[in-house]
């Protein structure tokens, strides 16, 4: 059993994470960041839930780039092959569910 208070977690560098669980190769991690990530495509699907702060999520659709501003409680689902990048607006805490070892 584990209780995690996401508001207490602050990383020592952008995109620092705390592993919550690894369930048969699917990880759930709490991330803290204050800087953008990199454009990437995950190894499989990803669920990205904003817990605290705001994140502008950029993603590719038919060769073009679109974005959505996500706030606490908002969830971004990246289907397999979705190229995307997250840009926090200030500090943000995010819960990410994805395949173990994904980018």
């Amino acid at each position: 059993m584990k209780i995690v208070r996401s508001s207490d977690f602050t990383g020592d560098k952008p995109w620092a994470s705390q592993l919550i669980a690894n369930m048969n190769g699917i990880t759930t991690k709490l991330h803290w960041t204050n800087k953008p990530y990199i454009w990437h495509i995950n190894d499989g699907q990803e669920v990205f839930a904003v817990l605290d702060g705001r994140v502008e999520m950029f993603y590719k659709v038919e060769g073009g780039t679109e974005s959505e501003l996500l706030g606490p409680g908002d969830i971004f689902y990246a289907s397999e092959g979705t190229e995307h990048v997250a840009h926090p607006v200030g500090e943000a805490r995010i819960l990410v569910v994805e395949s173990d070892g994904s980018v």
Side-chain angles (χ1 to χ4, degrees):
M1 198 204 78
K2 182 187 293 189
I3 295 175
V4 177
R5 304 214 185 274
S6 62
S7 60
D8 293 340
F9 179 65
T10 301
D12 56 353
K13 62 181 181 179
W15 295 100
S17 67
Q18 177 181 349
L19 179 65
I20 307 299
N22 185 329
M23 299 173 291
N24 299 318
I26 304 298
T27 60
T28 302
K29 292 180 181 176
L30 172 61
H31 288 268
W32 172 90
T33 192
N34 61 355
K35 302 277 188 217
Y37 198 58
I38 58 170
W39 278 100
H40 66 287
I41 298 173
N42 291 80
D43 300 331
Q45 303 167 71
E46 175 186 354
V47 173
F48 181 104
V50 178
L51 301 177
D52 182 46
R54 293 183 303 151
V55 175
E56 187 166 10
M57 181 64 77
F58 295 86
Y59 52 96
K60 302 278 177 125
V61 176
E62 297 177 5
T65 301
E66 298 187 19
S67 74
E68 289 287 334
L69 185 60
L70 306 173
D74 291 339
I75 299 167
F76 174 78
Y77 166 70
S79 56
E80 194 165 343
T82 302
E83 188 173 3
H84 60 286
V85 62
H87 287 232
V89 179
E91 289 188 12
R93 289 174 182 85
I94 303 124
L95 193 68
V96 177
V97 181
E98 62 189 355
S99 297
D100 189 17
S102 193
V103 185

